[in-house]
Amino acid sequence: ILTLKSNQSSSNSINRINELCQSLYNEVIRRVIVTLKYEDKILFIIRLGQISSSNDDSKQLNDIEMDYLLRGSGPILSESIYQNNLIKIKDIYSNVISDNVAKQLITISLISTFKNIIVSLIENKDAWLDILKGKTNDPFNDIPNDCINEDNITDERLILIKLIVIKIILPQYIIVGIEKYISIVFNNQINWREYCKINLPLIVQRDSCNNIPIMLCSEIGQDASSKVDDLARSMNKSLLQIAMGSSEGYKDAEKLLAQGMKSGTWVLLRNIHLCSSEWLYTLEKKLYNISLTSDNNFRLFLSCEINNKLPTELLRLSEILLYETSTGIKANIQRFYTNLSSQRVDKLPTERNRLYSLMIWLHSVLQERLRYIPLGWTKKYEFTETDAMFALDIIDQWVDNAAGNRTHINPEDLPWDAIKTLLSQSVYGGRIDHDHDQIILDTFISNIFHPRNYLTNAALASDINGEVLLTLPDGLNRQAFEVWMKDLPDTNSPTLVGLPTTAETQLRIISGQRVLSKLTILQGLDEETVDISSSSNQTIVSNVLKDNIIKWQNSLPTSKTLNVLTYDLSSLENISTAFERCLYREIVKGKSILGLLLNELTLLNSYLNGETKLSNVIRDIIDRLNKGKVPKSWFSEYIVNKDINISQWIDDFIKRIKNLEKYLSIISISNNLSQSIASGVYWLGGMFSPEAFITATRQAAAQINKWNLEELELVLLIDDNSKDLSGGILVEGLILEGAVYSNSSKTINISDDLRNLLPISKLRWEQRNQLNSNTVISFPMYLNEMRNILIADVKIHFPVTIDSTVWAQRGVALTIQSSIL
């Protein structure tokens, strides 16, 4: 960098320093960015941008603003301020702004920078409505400036402030906002997107030397070794190579290294992630002395999958290049198809090729849906190309048995059932451990492996209205498939794999939130701990926490405001039914957690007032609270979203405690079980153990109706709030994902909306033999949108005009909590 000639005619030292800094950032980004995944590339560059402007406060967010951007931790909101402003917002934006979004907007209005945002929302409603409804091409540019209470603001600070607003109202644009910040802070002088393209010839010639190995890391299913083969041929270089993974390979690799170092040829060691740690440590030590003994033309290439077991020292020594798996249906199909020989694809009978085409399509769809976790699948399954190759082996075996030596076979005579069963239960189904994911797999296998797909213009994918999105090639031969594959679009809509169009929006939201979460860690906000034992820091901590602790204590319910806190629970210990005992345990649990909070807040207050000595418990709580996190002793009491901040957790807990008052009145209302159950409206998302409550309602329904527990199914009757003495319960706060309830038709319909809040509805247990399987379908009911905790399977009546497979493939589900809606 220091040897670069100046582009400035002026000899001004400040200009020269700025020029050198810009060149330094440019070179660092060029060298490092090829070693990172896409999200981490963004993360790395934004952090460099923050560092480059760290000496100028006018280009940065202050601590309060940054805290809200990264963790959503803002000022404590009083109920009166919230309700007054909520009415103003909902009067105008009732259909486009949810209560949760409105609450966040009201919260940031307490930050001085955004104190005008509520007024702006009211006075500039047309501009805000265009942004919220997606009618603007650039929401950052179109945010009304009067919502920001600041004059003479720098471009760098302005885009970060607008990013806070966008995070609340349009979180799918978080990454877009970060990229805008990067362009502004570096004056569009760093072409980082171009640097993302790995230029292997340039790296070998410009950045590598004989004692620095070039490590090509790739994701599972992606092998970058062929790029070294191609480069060696194009540069007319001799290449010695070996695939690692066996004990014999170590000696052979050492021989190739010795030969390459002596003659100056290139050496490629494939799959080094399969090598033992001991041998890799030996290799790393040997590389330190290579420059003294080897030819300058020698180059060592290492290929591997991304693996956390690779020695850190070897990674630091190497020039790392990371190859991410290409996304999209076309890329998945091409990647797998290139591994098939033409002889295998052309093997008779002719109909075999169409089965291969269907198998490749299935594998590509399953792979593509992995991008959309938790909507496409509830978790990341390792569907590999080895699975697909095994599936082709199965197809070969069964087709050979059915066709013998014939040139053709009637598609109806192919062993469909055997192939579908093996794919469902063994090849792919063997990796799946979730019932609803298995249902999704089965629907795809059943739709794809069917004789109708041998017809002309057979539909591979259709939308919810039956409109064909993609057809199979007309011909059954290899050439027809290759032409069809080449003509596929490079990018595809989620609808092609059965998902709603908004799945891409959800993917961008999750990606943006993940980048901000990583940025929090990268900045050290989650790693630095203030030394609160010193008197100066104790004063700082005291000033920060005291007001919050007092506000939390004042906002938490007390015996004067909540009857359940003073009720003598000993009188309820002998209640006889499982349902009432479940509610009793909810009350006991809530009171226990509230007692824990009040005791620890009192302990903190005592310490901050100098009345109590510092302990490890106090230190841990203060450390978490200072970072906007929930203390571990509170967080472990019941399950909530892992990314929830302390303000959100306190608000949620207060709602749960107030909800306990209902349970007390239900338990005390009558000795009649059916009357007790039917007397309340239950908020499942506010229960500490919702699974236990569902189980208790099942036992209650069986007891009231004299039914067998094993023959009961849970049914949801949406918008039915009638009193039910047969054990049915009214529930509120249920969220329907991927579908919407229609008040006019009184049924659910497929929707591209990510989430819809359902009206008060009824959950009722019914006998399995009384349900019409043609008019009801089973939906999973999860704790929250992460879909990692299943509460129950729920039957819902659905329109018979929509095929049951559509609901499963689109990932329609219920949740009882949401951090987004």
Side-chain angles (χ1 to χ4, degrees), residues 28-37 41 44 192-200 203 207 215-217 319-324:
V28 169
I29 290 173
R30 185 187 73 82
R31 295 291 294 271
V32 174
I33 203 168
V34 292
T35 71
L36 304 172
K37 290 186 176 182
K41 297 179 198 290
F44 175 70
W192 64 272
R193 288 186 180 84
E194 188 65 29
Y195 293 154
C196 290
K197 303 172 183 177
I198 298 177
N199 188 333
L200 188 56
I203 291 171
D207 302 328
M215 183 180 293
L216 289 74
C217 299
E319 191 80 36
I320 299 174
L321 307 177
L322 192 146
Y323 291 85
E324 292 188 83

Side-chain angles (χ1 to χ4, degrees), residues 52 64 107 124-125 304 338 361 397 402 483 496 535 549 562 574 638 702 770:
S52 72
I64 295 175
T107 298
N124 297 300
K125 63 179 183 180
C304 63
T338 54
W361 173 257
Q397 181 178 349
V483 171
L496 208 58
S535 58
I549 290 174
L562 210 59
N574 297 321
Y638 57 93
Q770 298 300 312

Side-chain angles (χ1 to χ4, degrees), residues 375 494-495 499-507 738 751-754 810:
L375 191 58
T495 55
L499 294 169
T501 55
T502 46
E504 199 69 43
T505 300
Q506 176 159 315
L507 190 66
S751 170
D752 281 336
D753 292 343
L754 286 177
R810 288 177 70 88

Side-chain angles (χ1 to χ4, degrees), residues 614-820:
L614 180 64
S615 66
N616 288 334
V617 172
I618 294 175
R619 187 191 302 274
D620 290 342
I621 294 175
I622 289 178
D623 183 44
R624 300 279 294 183
L625 292 178
N626 277 332
K627 296 171 182 174
K629 291 186 172 184
V630 185
K632 293 179 181 179
S633 57
W634 307 358
F635 191 82
S636 61
E637 290 292 334
Y638 57 93
I639 299 175
V640 290
N641 192 309
K642 65 182 179 64
D643 296 322
I644 194 170
N645 61 53
I646 182 62
S647 299
Q648 295 169 335
W649 190 92
I650 289 286
D651 289 344
D652 175 74
F653 179 69
I654 291 171
K655 291 178 185 177
R656 291 171 185 261
I657 289 295
K658 290 180 177 179
N659 197 53
L660 297 180
E661 195 87 345
K662 296 180 181 179
Y663 303 159
L664 183 61
S665 61
I666 292 170
I667 295 175
S668 309
I669 195 170
S670 169
N671 291 325
N672 186 301
L673 177 59
S674 60
Q675 288 283 355
S676 297
I677 294 175
S679 62
V681 179
Y682 304 90
W683 174 33
L684 289 180
M687 291 185 168
F688 301 113
S689 302
E691 303 98 322
F693 178 76
I694 294 294
T695 301
T697 61
R698 184 181 189 182
Q699 294 172 334
Q703 181 179 342
I704 292 170
N705 299 289
K706 311 299 181 186
W707 289 337
N708 189 331
L709 276 173
E710 302 301 322
E711 59 187 31
L712 298 185
E713 297 280 358
L714 187 60
V715 178
L716 177 65
L717 305 175
I718 302 176
D719 204 19
D720 182 349
N721 55 12
S722 60
K723 195 170 184 178
D724 190 337
L725 297 179
S726 66
I729 60 168
L730 299 182
V731 293
E732 61 182 349
L734 291 186
I735 299 150
L736 186 60
E737 297 189 347
V740 64
Y741 175 73
S742 171
N743 287 316
S744 57
S745 62
K746 298 298 179 183
T747 187
I748 58 172
N749 289 303
I750 294 295
S751 170
D752 281 336
D753 292 343
L754 286 177
R755 292 167 187 85
N756 290 288
L757 184 65
L758 293 178
I760 292 177
S761 304
K762 183 186 295 181
L763 279 174
R764 185 172 68 192
W765 292 95
E766 298 184 13
Q767 290 179 294
R768 188 176 294 114
N769 57 15
Q770 298 300 312
L771 294 174
N772 185 348
S773 60
N774 295 321
T775 60
V776 295
I777 189 171
S778 180
F779 291 105
M781 182 164 67
Y782 298 103
L783 181 68
N784 54 42
E785 63 271 8
M786 298 312 296
R787 301 193 177 196
N788 52 1
I789 298 177
L790 180 67
I791 303 298
D793 289 331
V794 181
K795 303 286 186 182
I796 300 179
H797 292 275
F798 72 100
V800 294
T801 54
I802 301 177
D803 192 274
S804 60
T805 61
V806 173
W807 301 93
Q809 292 180 9
R810 288 177 70 88
V812 178
L814 293 160
T815 62
I816 63 175
Q817 295 177 4
S818 178
S819 60
I820 299 175

